[in-house]
Amino acid sequence: MTDQPLSSSGPAGGIRPRRPSFLARSRWNPYVVGALIGVLSWIAFGIAGKPLGVSTSVSAAAGACLIPFAGADAVRGNAYWARHFPKWDYGMLFLVGILGGALVSSLISRSFRPEVVPAVWAERFGPSRAKRLVGALVGGVIIMYGARLAGGCTSGHGISGSLQLAVSSWTFFLTMFASGALTALVLFRSRTRA
Amino acid sequence: MFPLEGTASLIAAVVIGFVFGLLLHRGGVANYNVIVNQFRFRDFTVLKIMFTAIIVGGIGVLLLRNLGWAKPDIKSADMLAVVLGAAIFGVGMVVYGYCPGTSIAAIGTGSIHALVGFVGMLIGGALYAFSFPWVQTHILSVASYGRIRLPDISGVSDVAWFGILIVIAAVVFFLLERLQPRAAATSPDA
């Protein structure tokens, strides 16, 4: 990063609210972000030799959480975790990086805030925190089971697989999107008033 | 020299993850509302980011592969598992409001419900591990075609596929940018 000021308290001013510097802006143009993620995938493939991917390591982390209770041998005895035994490998550290990157990004742009009930949920299901947390928990269970069954998530299939034109990944992308749209239709039946 | 190995590879993991997390946040997709509104066709940020990433990333990776600087990494087309898994994934994505990657980014931005959902993801991962022996014999092996790519089954070359994708993206993005102001104007902002 350069030594530019992070928030422009400088000469801007005027009628419109002053435009913060690029680094301080909390939202970037989605096409620019998409292109930069594309460039990041070149680096991931070419330099690290590992495509961007998340869900494999999350399920490995699930095994790590069981080790204190069931013991490492029991976890290793599972046919799935025998293949993906939890360790601080590339995939796991990649997740740590994501957490750190988003944390720093939100702090710099002053958009870090503890959120429990997001606006779109509240509009449809009300302000109950318990309700939203149960929803998030259940949704988390469902999404990770689906990701592992499909062999990847929005990163591993959706981006890394689709950009290699994999049949499995495009099938994932289109099916996931159709299923999500259908789910949204059922959950958020629009009650538009004239 | 490349791909990196050992400690250098682990440092690269953190650095690449860091940039990915930063981009997910700045792209606006570490946000429940943006993701759920994509599936309600009210906000197309997710599609814009993903499609641009696929095209820009895909052309570069194709070039790297042809130069011998990158190895392909194709997931097997176990079609029953992919279709079932993706259908389940879509339900989960709308209920949770994040996908696995964006949920971790959202935790970084302070989202408490993303953190609770992460516990759910650990449970889901464990459930999959427990069911894996059954899934392996009954689902993963059904309609399994191996590591095939669209050019393999279509006879259309990689370059032509990206040409097609660019045309689709150009038309869709053009229409989205034309229609969006009107769509936003009709949305009931109080």
Side-chain angles (χ1 to χ4, degrees):
Chain A
M1 312 228 170
T2 62
D3 52 0
Q4 286 175 322
L6 293 181
S7 60
S8 57
S9 46
I15 310 154
R16 302 218 128 242
R18 58 179 189 269
R19 192 170 166 80
S21 76
F22 189 63
L23 279 180
R25 239 175 282 158
S26 65
R27 284 288 284 272
W28 292 348
N29 180 302
Y31 302 115
V32 172
V33 169
L36 290 174
I37 290 175
V39 172
L40 191 66
S41 77
W42 304 348
I43 296 168
F45 270 94
I47 294 181
K50 302 259 203 292
L52 306 173
V54 172
S55 67
T56 308
S57 298
V58 174
S59 54
C65 296
L66 284 181
I67 291 177
F69 305 103
D73 290 338
V75 170
R76 200 176 277 110
N78 173 282
Y80 180 81
W81 283 314
R83 292 184 188 188
H84 305 279
F85 193 73
K87 50 180 175 289
W88 289 107
D89 59 0
Y90 184 94
M92 201 72 86
L93 289 168
F94 181 71
L95 306 189
V96 175
I98 294 178
L99 186 73
L103 173 66
V104 169
S105 174
S106 64
L107 290 176
I108 290 176
S109 59
R110 300 181 183 191
S111 47
F112 180 94
R113 61 183 61 87
E115 174 191 81
V116 180
V117 185
V120 167
W121 174 281
E123 201 179 285
R124 174 69 182 83
F125 300 105
S128 162
R129 292 174 159 217
K131 214 166 161 182
R132 172 56 199 149
L133 293 181
V134 170
L137 186 77
V138 171
V141 174
I142 297 171
I143 199 170
M144 187 47 63
Y145 194 91
R148 287 294 80 219
L149 182 58
C153 62
T154 346
S155 307
H157 261 315
I159 293 175
S160 302
S162 298
L163 72 80
Q164 297 178 88
L165 305 176
V167 170
S168 56
S169 301
W170 279 97
T171 307
F172 173 87
F173 196 172
L174 298 175
T175 311
M176 174 276 278
F177 201 82
S179 164
L182 205 66
T183 307
L185 198 69
V186 173
L187 284 183
F188 293 88
R189 264 166 307 206
S190 57
R191 298 159 297 164
T192 35
R193 279 168 290 186
Chain B
M1 180 174 176
F2 297 127
L4 298 173
E5 282 171 17
T7 312
S9 166
L10 298 180
I11 294 170
V14 178
V15 173
I16 295 173
F18 186 94
V19 175
F20 192 47
L22 184 140
L23 289 172
L24 290 176
H25 171 248
R26 294 298 166 105
V29 288
N31 182 325
Y32 171 99
N33 301 311
V34 172
I35 291 186
V36 169
N37 275 343
Q38 171 65 71
F39 290 99
R40 301 167 78 201
F41 298 97
R42 292 176 182 211
D43 183 325
F44 287 85
T45 305
V46 174
L47 271 193
K48 289 176 190 172
I49 290 178
M50 287 191 72
F51 229 76
T52 313
I54 288 168
I55 290 174
V56 172
I59 293 171
V61 170
L62 177 66
L63 206 66
L64 290 174
R65 220 182 58 208
N66 288 344
L67 292 168
W69 295 349
K71 273 192 293 185
D73 190 314
I74 307 291
K75 294 174 191 288
S76 177
D78 307 325
M79 296 308 268
L80 179 63
V82 171
V83 169
L84 276 179
I88 295 171
F89 189 95
V91 175
M93 189 151 170
V94 172
V95 175
Y96 187 12
Y98 302 106
C99 61
T102 54
S103 79
I104 295 171
I107 294 168
T109 70
S111 170
I112 311 284
H113 59 118
L115 184 61
V116 171
F118 187 83
V119 176
M121 292 205 298
L122 294 175
I123 297 170
L127 289 178
Y128 183 74
F130 295 139
S131 65
F132 180 70
W134 188 88
V135 168
Q136 197 176 19
T137 47
H138 293 90
I139 297 183
L140 285 174
S141 53
V142 179
S144 179
Y145 300 102
R147 301 171 191 281
I148 48 170
R149 302 167 60 250
L150 294 174
D152 305 329
I153 59 166
S154 62
V156 174
S157 71
D158 281 80
V159 174
W161 268 105
F162 282 110
I164 295 168
L165 289 177
I166 288 172
V167 170
I168 294 175
V171 171
V172 171
F173 292 162
F174 175 77
L175 290 175
L176 284 178
E177 298 306 329
R178 283 288 297 273
L179 297 175
Q180 220 164 28
R182 258 193 290 161
T186 54
S187 81
D189 290 309

